[in-house]
Amino acid sequence: MNRSDLSNTALSVSNLAKTYVNGRVALKGISFAVEQGDFYALLGRNGAGKSTTIGITCSLVKKSAGKVHVFGIDIDQDFGRAKSHIGLVPQEINFNQFESPWNIVINHAGYYGVHRTVAAQQAEKYLTKLGLWDHRDTASRRLSGGMKRRLMIARALMHEPRLLILDEPTAGIDFETRLSMWEFMQELNQQGITIILTTHYLQEAEKLCRNVGVIELGELILDVDMKSLFLQLSQETYVLDLVLPAKGLPDRLQGYMRLIDPTTLEVDITRGSSINQVFETLSELDIHVVSIQNKSNRLETLFMELLKNEAESIRASQDA
Ligand code: ADP
């Protein structure tokens, strides 16, 4: 990708690797790009490497190798300018809980060099929008968990970032607050702000995001649009051992069958549909099968786990 392409790209990560000082390999050289205006999900179970990716992008974590560009700016060359484009909503509450929401957002704006008059207007706009205006002078430790998270969003928006990064913004908050946060994020995206969301809730990514990167054990195992993700999840792959080596496959079958080697064929079929049709097609081509097995799908295993997380979280929020 050249520099002019990069300036239309909100975030470009290439060959990003991270090994922590304790020897833990968190990222094994991942590459992906998020286009300007996108709503992008970084999905993966706990410990996959999502926060490390975000931490490096925001220069909170030192990378071991690789490159990161924010709107074409290399973070190694000019981190100050790159940072001015990013609004970060971290996972952990990281404001001084003895301060009021008003002071927290105003101080943040000052840190980014926003003029005081503009900062006051912004503060009113975002604290109102996020349902915190009436609490603007309360010590923030008295706010509910959902309010504290919304305060972090208001704070992140104070310097008008073009890229908003939210790290697990709705983890552990009740369903109603989650819905109103989803609505607000959609509104921001419609106004042109690029959003990257890390989550281990499949439903959240599906509801909000256009594109998705899936991280598993420090590797990006998928980088596709949301529709393709669900298409991949809706199909099963079978591995067929063939009696005799096959010479090739007709073009019309290439979309869903692949010869891995001359005697091994992989076939994708829609989940729940019958494989008999596949056998008929193959026997018309004089291809005969010795054995068949269902290929265990890394993505599927991961998603079964994510769905389980989701079910547990919904149960927990109903119990709360
Ligand atoms: P995720 O955000 O997807 O849950 P993380 O990026 O937090 O994943 O973690 C990726 C891996 O790096 C995990 O194995 C985690 O234990 C490890 N890790 C994260 N932060 C540190 C740290 N400060 N020191 C050592 N290991 C860490």
Side-chain angles (χ1 to χ4, degrees):
M1 213 182 265
N2 65 37
R3 274 198 66 81
S4 60
D5 288 331
L6 278 178
S7 61
N8 291 326
T9 304
L11 175 67
S12 156
V13 164
S14 78
N15 301 317
L16 193 64
K18 172 67 186 176
T19 303
Y20 282 101
V21 281
N22 64 359
R24 172 75 68 159
V25 179
L27 294 175
K28 298 177 186 165
I30 64 166
S31 302
F32 66 94
V34 178
E35 294 308 314
Q36 198 169 329
D38 200 356
F39 204 138
Y40 188 91
L42 260 186
L43 201 62
R45 67 185 118 205
N46 279 333
K50 305 181 297 294
S51 296
T52 302
T53 308
I54 300 306
I56 293 171
T57 302
C58 300
S59 284
L60 302 170
V61 174
K62 201 166 168 284
K63 60 186 160 61
S64 307
K67 279 276 168 205
V68 177
H69 289 85
V70 177
F71 293 101
I73 306 158
D74 183 339
I75 62 163
D76 294 332
Q77 307 272 323
D78 192 351
F79 174 64
R81 210 151 61 85
K83 193 174 111 174
S84 70
H85 292 307
I86 303 176
L88 172 67
V89 181
Q91 231 178 85
E92 308 293 335
I93 307 292
N94 69 345
F95 49 73
N96 179 347
Q97 304 222 19
F98 290 94
E99 293 228 45
S100 66
W102 178 264
N103 282 344
I104 289 168
V105 296
I106 291 290
N107 289 344
H108 176 91
Y111 178 68
Y112 279 82
V114 179
H115 190 278
R116 252 197 114 72
T117 325
V118 178
Q121 288 162 356
Q122 294 274 93
E124 182 171 349
K125 174 168 123 187
Y126 288 120
L127 291 177
T128 305
K129 196 86 206 152
L130 286 153
L132 296 164
W133 183 247
D134 292 345
H135 305 275
R136 63 190 178 281
D137 296 322
T138 313
S140 51
R141 68 177 190 284
R142 298 196 193 283
L143 302 177
S144 70
M147 283 177 176
K148 285 178 185 166
R149 279 193 190 266
R150 297 206 299 270
L151 174 54
M152 292 211 292
I153 298 179
R155 181 185 60 175
L157 291 167
M158 287 296 290
H159 59 286
E160 304 272 22
R162 296 163 70 195
L163 169 63
L164 184 65
I165 302 180
L166 301 119
D167 196 356
E168 304 270 357
T170 59
I173 66 167
D174 67 83
F175 194 63
E176 226 164 277
T177 310
R178 190 178 294 177
L179 286 184
S180 73
M181 274 167 72
W182 285 356
E183 217 168 275
F184 184 58
M185 286 186 244
Q186 280 170 321
E187 200 180 311
L188 292 172
N189 184 241
Q190 276 155 14
Q191 288 163 12
I193 298 181
T194 309
I195 301 187
I196 299 176
L197 180 81
T198 80
T199 182
H200 56 269
Y201 299 131
L202 187 55
Q203 192 202 7
E204 181 158 280
E206 181 190 5
K207 166 94 183 141
L208 298 173
C209 301
R210 277 188 287 283
N211 291 298
V212 56
V214 181
I215 303 193
E216 167 77 331
L217 295 173
E219 287 180 84
L220 195 76
I221 60 168
L222 200 72
D223 182 15
V224 290
D225 59 281
M226 216 25 113
K227 275 201 203 100
S228 311
L229 169 72
F230 283 94
L231 193 68
Q232 293 202 29
L233 286 170
S234 70
Q235 63 192 18
E236 266 173 311
T237 302
Y238 288 91
V239 182
L240 279 51
D241 287 324
L242 308 180
V243 176
L244 292 170
K247 290 194 187 70
L249 291 174
D251 283 351
R252 68 190 162 89
L253 302 180
Q254 301 283 354
Y256 69 107
M257 289 190 192
R258 295 166 297 279
L259 265 177
I260 304 301
D261 60 52
T263 56
T264 313
L265 184 66
E266 262 187 22
V267 181
D268 302 324
I269 68 163
T270 307
R271 195 171 294 281
S273 66
S274 157
I275 193 154
N276 289 342
Q277 180 65 46
V278 172
F279 286 125
E280 277 170 32
T281 308
L282 291 175
S283 76
E284 279 162 23
L285 296 167
D286 213 16
I287 295 176
H288 300 283
V289 175
V290 184
S291 66
I292 174 167
Q293 57 179 330
N294 199 328
K295 186 179 177 186
S296 77
N297 178 337
R298 190 151 72 134
L299 194 62
E300 188 187 329
T301 323
L302 166 67
F303 278 90
M304 289 313 287
E305 205 168 302
L306 293 178
L307 286 170
K308 207 172 99 210
N309 276 345
E310 207 149 276
E312 277 165 11
S313 140
I314 290 168
R315 231 172 285 129
S317 76
Q318 280 168 349
D319 291 347

